[in-house]
Each structure stands twice: as structure tokens, then as C-alpha cells.
Amino acid sequence: MNYFRKVWAIVWKDIRAEIRTKEIFSSMFIFSLLVLVIFNFSIDLLEVNPLDIAQGVLWIAFTFSGILGLNRSFLFEKENDCLQGLMLTPIDRSAIYFGKMLGNLIFMLIMEAIAVPIFVVLFNIGIYDKIISLAIVIILGTLGFVTVGTLFSAMSVNIKAREVMLPILLFPIVVPVIIASVKSTGAILTGKPFDDIISWLKLIAVFDVVFLVVSFLSFEYIIEE
Amino acid sequence: MNSPPIKGGEIRDVDFRMNYVIDCEKVSKSYGNISALRDVSFKLDKGSFLAIFGPNGAGKTTLLKILSNLVKPTSGVVKINGMSLHDEDGEIRKNIGVVSHNSFLYNNLTPYENLEFYGKMYDVPNLEKRIADVIYEVGLTARMHDPVRTFSRGMMQRLSIARVLMPDPSIIYLDEPYTGLDQHAAMKLRDILKNLKKGDRTIIMITHNIERGLEVCTHVAIQVMGKIAYMEEIEKVDRDNFEAKYFKTVGEGHY
């Protein structure tokens, strides 16, 4: 229990700072909004069926705005060398990873919860009877994205060109999650039964578990000097 | 202390104590071909205050990072209260506080929120009272709820000491605490450091300021090119000529 209290203290510290600065959330939200609006204007929805492209547009908005948030995540810990301060405390270093990862997950899910209704309006897609299954896909897909993303964010924080390096390192690894999430979202939006996406969801779930375990085991070595 | 090796047949300075608070034995650290530390050995007892002087690049910060288990040595052993740092699982870190030239404080949080956060990391009991006490000790009670980003360098440094005092550690490392402080802030910090000395705390301070170092320490060391070139108890040091001794030791450069 003590371990989880410390994880939560790290999450709450990030939320507190974010409420004050709104740096991570505002950049993620504005970027995702821009992506949705630009795609909406660039595609003639009278000629193209929105269901053919909507799932791709949605996940482009999620993943690219997510990168912005992940880039800021450990930069915040770099300020005044706070990461070193955290490493000096007697906590298990994996708690730092889980705290940062949960913080990133919460920020991304809030951004997605606001972006999805805007997406529904812009692309004129009805999701009212599919909200739960869509939420399951989004939560699992986002979890996979931030699980690896937080690890790579910690790795790239000391690199000069981190804004470039993070997506270069991250996207090849999360391709299975993004493909599975896009396919599942597409199936849900076109009204296919939930059973049709079970295999995709299993793939995302396995990816999530594998990378959670890998990150738990490797984080201490990644942040060590 | 860093006594010279005993020659054959010579019997002197035999110390039978097993557990020093800090026992650093032949510690070396290399980054590729660069040796940051070379066979550094010393022992410190409870209540000692060691001031380490040395030029830039002498490996002083690397030494403190190894002593606080942030960096693993390439060879050698560090024992804290008889326990090897290599085997530690957080228990040793509970007893170590580090004040660096970086404050380890979150700019967007208030002093109260920063101390509350670090207090939770160390499982500090009676957290609210402890925060009020340490913040009073460093004279920042009036600014307790202002964002840290509005603080001056001196205030940040004092708050950093409050952060370190939260879990009441028995060992404190100070890495150039006077860096960037004006005279007034430096005087305040000196008073706080003198207070830190009270009790049985073991303290190591790295500083370029010889005068400030000598006025608070019980032991003094000069580190040059990754080696402890000189180490002595303060009573045995000729304070008036120490600066000359320092420049001579640093200038020899054959370590």
C-alpha cells in the first residue's frame, strides 16, 4: 500500500503542477483539435465516406498530440534536476515510472474525452450506442502508447534533439498498438459486433502487459547515470 | 582518516573500530577513458563535518554522487553505517540528504507543496507539523504558499535545506551550497549550516570558498584530479597558511 501511496503522490504532484500551468494539456488539446479541423476541411465528406477515414484521423490526433505531452512529461522533472532529487529518495525507482506513466495516461484520456465529441460533430458520426466499446479501445490503446512513451520519454530527456528523437524511437515500437487500435475503432464505428474486435483487443492487452513489465524492470537502469 | 600506509615493522594509528558512518575504500570511477575518481579512501565518524576543496573537474561532485548512490563506482566499496551501498534497497537513502547547486524543487509548486511531496516520499510522520518546523528553521514561513519560481537563489537554497531536513537525515552532503549567493544570503546559509552541525549529523561539504569551508568543518580535504591529495583534522590545520597549502597541492598536479 505504501508503494501505491508514493505512486499516487507523484501523480498528484504532476496534476497539481498541470492545473497551475496547463502546459501539457493545452498543447495536447490544441494540437488534436487542429488535426481534426484540418482533416475535416481537407476532405470532402460528401464524396468520401467518413467511416473510411475517421478512425485513422482520430488516432493521428491522439498519437501526435500524445507525443507533445510525453515530451513535456520528463522535461518537467529536468527543471532544477528534480529527477535526481526523486532518485535520492528511498522509494523504489519503478514507483517514479508508474507515477509518471499514470499522470501521462490521465492527461491523454482527458484530452481524448474532449476530442472525441468534437470529432463526432466534425465528421458527423454517431457513436451513441458504441460509447462503451469505443472507450475500451481508446483506454487500452492509450495505455499501450503511454506505457512505452513514458519509458522513451525518460530515455530521451537528456538528448539535445529530444523533440525529434522521441517520435523516432517511439513510433516503430508502438506500431502494433496503433494498428490494432485503428482497426478496432474502425470496426466499432462501422457497427460491427464486439466479437469481431476481440482478437485486436487481445493484441493490445498483451502489448500493454508486456511493456508494463519491461518498463517496470528496466526503468531503474534507464534513469541511472 | 586518510593515514599513509603502515610500513613493515611500524606500529601506529591502528584503529579497531569496525563501523564508521561513512567508509569509502579505494573508490574509482571512470567514464570511458576518463578517470573521474582514482582510489579515493577515507572514513568519517558520527558528528564529523568534512569540507572538500578542489578545482573544477577534480571529481568532487562524482564522489558525492557515488556516496549518495546516484552513480555506481567502477571499483571500490562505500559503506554507510557499515552497510554496503551496493546492497542497499532504500534504507540507506532514508538517512542521506543532499543539497546540490540544483535545488531539486518544483518551480510550479509552493514550498509547502514541495515539502509535502518530499515528506511523503520519505514517510515523514506528522507531516504538517514537520513542514511548519523546517520552514521556520530556514526562515521562509512567510513565503510558504508562494510559487517557488518567484524565489531568489538564496531562498531556493534555504528551501532546499528545508527539503533535506524533512526526514531528519543523519548524513548530509552539500555540493557547493554557496554558489550564486550574495553576501547576505551566504551569511544566512552559514548560520543554517552551523545549526546543521549540532547533534550527531555527519556532513560532507564541497566548496570553492576556503574561508566558509574552514569556519564550519571538523575535517578538511583537498581533491585534485580524482584523488584525495590531502586530508586532515581541522585542529591540525594551519588556517592562516591553508590557502597557500591549497594552491601548492593543486599546483603540484602529479596525482
Side-chain angles (χ1 to χ4, degrees):
Chain A
M1 282 310 287
N2 200 19
Y3 180 88
F4 293 109
R5 267 210 301 272
K6 282 167 183 171
V7 169
W8 178 247
I10 295 170
V11 176
W12 179 237
K13 179 259 298 169
D14 281 356
I15 292 174
R16 224 173 202 173
E18 184 56 26
I19 289 170
R20 213 154 282 163
T21 64
K22 296 166 190 73
E23 273 178 29
I24 294 177
F25 182 76
S26 58
S27 58
M28 282 203 303
F29 174 68
I30 289 169
F31 188 84
S32 64
L33 184 68
L34 266 175
V35 170
L36 294 175
V37 169
I38 289 168
F39 270 105
N40 182 257
F41 275 90
S42 61
I43 297 163
D44 185 353
L45 294 175
L46 293 174
E47 289 188 11
V48 178
N49 181 0
L51 294 175
D52 291 341
I53 48 126
Q55 62 273 33
V57 173
L58 191 63
W59 279 97
I60 286 173
F62 288 171
T63 50
F64 281 88
S65 53
I67 284 282
L68 292 181
L70 290 172
N71 258 326
R72 290 294 308 162
S73 172
F74 271 91
L75 217 54
F76 182 52
E77 298 295 337
K78 255 327 246 181
E79 226 172 46
N80 296 336
D81 233 343
C82 291
L83 184 59
Q84 205 172 85
L86 263 178
M87 286 165 68
L88 285 165
T89 65
I91 60 168
D92 190 308
R93 283 168 183 169
S94 65
I96 303 173
Y97 168 78
F98 281 115
K100 297 302 292 180
M101 190 273 286
L102 281 176
N104 291 332
L105 182 66
I106 290 169
F107 296 144
M108 265 195 85
L109 288 177
I110 293 172
M111 177 270 291
E112 289 165 351
I114 299 172
V116 167
I118 295 169
F119 159 81
V120 167
V121 172
L122 288 175
F123 288 84
N124 197 24
I125 294 170
I127 59 159
Y128 308 107
D129 52 341
K130 304 154 191 162
I131 286 177
I132 291 172
S133 44
L134 190 61
I136 291 170
V137 172
I138 289 176
I139 290 170
L140 279 178
T142 307
L143 177 63
F145 183 76
V146 296
T147 299
V148 189
T150 306
L151 191 71
F152 281 82
S153 171
M155 282 168 80
S156 62
V157 74
N158 290 320
I159 301 171
K160 263 187 189 170
R162 60 181 156 264
E163 283 84 3
V164 180
M165 285 310 291
L166 181 59
I168 288 173
L169 291 169
L170 178 59
F171 280 130
I173 308 287
V174 291
V175 157
V177 168
I178 295 174
I179 290 174
S181 301
V182 168
K183 287 285 183 191
S184 315
T185 307
I188 290 166
L189 293 179
T190 50
K192 288 185 179 154
F194 192 73
D195 290 348
D196 284 13
I197 62 164
I198 288 288
S199 54
W200 288 116
L201 289 184
K202 279 182 184 166
L203 175 70
I204 304 174
V206 168
F207 184 96
D208 291 358
V209 171
V210 167
F211 274 94
L212 268 176
V213 173
V214 169
S215 305
F216 171 78
L217 296 175
S218 61
F219 189 71
E220 178 168 1
Y221 303 101
I222 282 170
I223 56 169
E224 220 171 54
E225 277 187 45
Chain B
M1 288 303 95
N2 199 30
S3 33
I6 298 169
K7 292 171 193 161
E10 190 182 352
I11 301 171
R12 59 172 180 78
D13 286 349
V14 179
D15 201 333
F16 293 102
R17 283 171 299 183
M18 295 298 287
N19 286 348
Y20 290 88
V21 175
I22 299 172
D23 184 350
C24 190
E25 205 178 314
K26 292 198 167 189
V27 169
S28 298
K29 177 69 186 176
S30 303
Y31 294 100
N33 293 327
I34 299 163
S35 287
L37 280 185
R38 292 187 288 154
D39 284 338
V40 170
S41 299
F42 66 87
K43 295 173 169 66
L44 283 180
D45 261 334
K46 199 185 257 189
S48 304
F49 193 134
L50 170 66
I52 303 178
F53 305 103
N56 292 330
K60 304 184 297 296
T61 300
T62 303
L63 177 62
L64 279 201
K65 282 185 174 177
I66 288 173
L67 293 177
S68 50
N69 209 11
L70 277 176
V71 169
K72 300 258 185 286
T74 310
S75 64
V77 179
V78 177
K79 286 182 181 170
I80 304 288
N81 293 319
M83 196 191 290
S84 170
L85 266 186
H86 185 71
D87 306 325
E88 84 110 18
D89 58 352
E91 273 309 303
I92 295 177
R93 272 181 279 161
K94 266 185 189 167
N95 293 313
I96 297 176
V98 180
V99 176
S100 166
H101 30 248
N102 290 316
S103 64
F104 305 156
L105 296 166
Y106 294 94
N107 282 340
N108 295 316
L109 301 182
T110 66
Y112 183 90
E113 290 164 347
N114 268 290
L115 296 181
E116 186 190 36
F117 172 67
Y118 278 106
K120 283 178 182 171
M121 295 295 112
Y122 283 92
D123 290 322
V124 174
N126 302 320
L127 198 51
E128 277 192 32
K129 189 184 176 308
R130 185 69 189 148
I131 292 171
D133 288 348
V134 293
I135 227 161
Y136 176 77
E137 214 169 310
V138 297
L140 288 171
T141 308
R143 303 290 304 269
M144 189 147 74
H145 298 294
D146 294 342
V148 168
R149 64 170 179 274
T150 63
F151 280 25
S152 68
R153 169 90 187 124
M155 289 160 79
M156 288 274 262
Q157 204 62 320
R158 277 148 62 197
L159 185 57
S160 189
I161 289 171
R163 170 187 57 76
V164 162
L165 291 177
M166 280 292 289
D168 195 15
S170 58
I171 299 167
I172 295 180
Y173 302 139
L174 304 151
D175 188 358
E176 296 179 25
Y178 289 102
T179 306
L181 299 188
D182 62 31
Q183 283 303 313
H184 179 71
M187 292 280 274
K188 275 210 154 187
L189 182 65
R190 186 199 61 186
D191 294 340
I192 292 168
L193 292 185
K194 280 185 173 169
N195 275 333
L196 286 186
K197 260 177 80 176
K198 290 174 188 165
D200 281 336
R201 285 201 181 99
T202 305
I203 302 173
I204 297 180
M205 176 168 76
I206 286 172
T207 180
H208 292 294
N209 192 325
I210 290 175
E211 189 190 338
R212 299 251 181 249
L214 290 180
E215 66 188 7
V216 288
C217 70
T218 61
H219 296 76
V220 60
I222 300 172
Q223 190 170 333
V224 192
M225 294 177 77
K227 281 205 136 192
I228 298 282
Y230 172 84
M231 189 159 172
E232 195 54 270
E233 289 174 26
I234 193 71
E235 291 85 14
K236 296 177 185 168
V237 172
D238 178 2
R239 288 169 186 251
D240 297 334
N241 293 317
F242 184 75
E243 199 165 317
K245 168 85 184 164
Y246 171 77
F247 284 117
K248 185 172 179 283
T249 309
V250 170
E252 280 170 0
H254 56 259
Y255 297 96

